[in-house]
Amino acid sequence: MPDGTLFVASGSLNGKTPADPQNNNPTYEILDRQGRSMGESVPMTLLKKAEPYYMYPFIHLLADGRLFVFTAKSSQVFDVTTNDVVKEPPELPGDYRTYPNTGGSALLPLSSSNNWQPDIIICGGGAYQDISSPTDPSCGRIRPLDDNPTWEMDSMPEGRGMVEAILLPDGTILWLNGAQQGAQGFELATKPAFETLIYDPEAVLGKRWTTGASSEIPRLYHSVALLLLDGTVMVAGSNPWAVPVLEATPDYPYITDFRVEIYTPAYLSGDNANRRPTNVKLSTLSLVAGSETFAVDCDVPAAVQTIKIAPYHGGFVTHSLHMSHRMLFLDIEGFQPGAEQQSLTVSMPPNNNVAPPGPYVVYVVADGVPSIGQFVMVS
């Protein structure tokens, strides 16, 4: 939250099936900045309405300090300070999008070019919790702070459940992992999705998706993908069993796989790896929201025509859900096209609604190629 507290929603009282309402906890609570509960669990109507598809909701902090909360097929803009529902957008067409038929969700990169207004995408999902469930290829994109927000529909090249969305420093979104059939849970998915998908939010509708590299490792239940400091993505997991299983069976061929992979985006492939900004120096590692400025010095290739400064908050990741992750593109002054040495003045966002406090990684991105990131703290 903007004040550094934590909004925690949904969950189970005992870890058993959400099909039995007595197991469920469709409430939210607030934790203080030290992670201690404020002591009250508050019922949330959206979660109750969505049972048993109420767990692991998609939640994004908006530029006005309110929350976008999505579960199953429904969403709302929610004011935590007053415990009020501000608006309820229409249902997202398609199948269920949250656990146990989780798709993926991302808050697209924020910038002053659209006044920091949030644009959210949700893709994938499925019909029911069983290995026979089809998965949904459709995507919805929405601007929840519009006067009358509506879903712009698009489609991935294939249906996927348990698909993860990773914000990349060049402004694209990497989608990977998951399955083309089944749902979340032990031994409940098949037809692993091996290919990476890249989504370009700036491209025209119908041309935003491209297919990237493929893995040979099934990444099913309890898999994970994380953006690293060097701009690559670590991919791990695939534990579709309650306990590790190292030998496949005819009935279920997917073992617990402990291998870790590194995905290298196109912006670091070939000669691009030699075009990184280098010698990056930030004037401070303690950044303050509220339009405060800081300085960035770096070296770039002489041919570079654009530079972006991209703070990234990785958030908290589980069950293909990337909670709180966001990326910002900050306003800069002083860029000199053609100069190999750059001295930039960078402006922070206007408030902590846009950049909530916590640890971030700052990348310098020159013509789409990121530097090695540096950890900073935002307050």
Side-chain angles (χ1 to χ4, degrees), residues 177-191:
N177 296 344
Q180 295 176 277
Q181 182 177 313
Q184 286 179 305
F186 300 121
E187 305 173 60
L188 288 181
T190 188
K191 297 183 179 178

Side-chain angles (χ1 to χ4, degrees), residues 123-144:
C123 293
Y128 47 84
Q129 191 177 25
D130 188 80
I131 198 169
S132 64
S133 173
T135 55
D136 195 332
S138 70
C139 302
R141 183 167 160 179
I142 194 168
R143 295 183 296 271

Side-chain angles (χ1 to χ4, degrees), residues 3 40 58 205 253 279 292 337 350 364:
D3 62 357
E40 183 180 10
F58 302 138
L205 182 63
N279 298 322
E292 300 284 335
V364 177

Side-chain angles (χ1 to χ4, degrees), residues 101 134 184 211 235 258 324 352 355 376:
N101 296 105
Q184 286 179 305
T211 300
V235 188
F258 297 100
S324 293
N352 287 124
V376 301

Side-chain angles (χ1 to χ4, degrees), residues 20 61 99 227 305 340 353:
D20 186 347
L61 176 64
Y99 185 93
L227 178 64
Q305 295 299 305
E340 294 186 359
N353 298 338

Side-chain angles (χ1 to χ4, degrees), residues 163-307:
V163 61
E164 299 188 51
I166 313 295
L167 298 166
L168 297 179
D170 66 347
T172 61
I173 296 93
L174 177 70
W175 299 74
L176 72 173
N177 296 344
Q180 295 176 277
Q181 182 177 313
Q184 286 179 305
F186 300 121
E187 305 173 60
L188 288 181
T190 188
K191 297 183 179 178
F194 294 110
E195 294 178 326
T196 57
L197 304 175
I198 299 95
Y199 179 81
D200 182 356
E202 301 299 322
V204 298
L205 182 63
K207 297 185 180 295
R208 293 173 180 163
W209 291 95
T210 55
T211 300
S214 294
S215 174
E216 297 180 353
I217 302 175
R219 302 291 187 185
L220 302 172
Y221 194 42
H222 288 171
S223 295
V224 68
L226 300 168
L227 178 64
L228 301 181
L229 289 178
D230 66 353
T232 64
V233 177
M234 183 183 76
V235 188
S238 190
N239 180 20
W241 303 80
V243 296
V245 172
L246 304 183
E247 293 186 9
T249 67
D251 291 335
Y252 199 74
Y254 309 114
I255 64 168
T256 304
D257 202 308
F258 297 100
R259 286 176 289 177
V260 176
E261 296 174 293
I262 295 294
Y263 171 78
T264 301
Y267 54 62
L268 291 176
S269 298
D271 291 340
N272 287 341
N274 299 318
R275 298 176 56 244
R276 285 186 186 272
T278 56
N279 298 322
V280 176
K281 296 179 181 179
L282 278 63
S283 60
T284 177
L285 300 181
S286 298
L287 306 183
V288 181
S291 302
E292 300 284 335
T293 62
F294 64 100
V296 175
D297 293 337
C298 61
D299 295 341
V300 298
V304 164
Q305 295 299 305
T306 63
I307 287 183

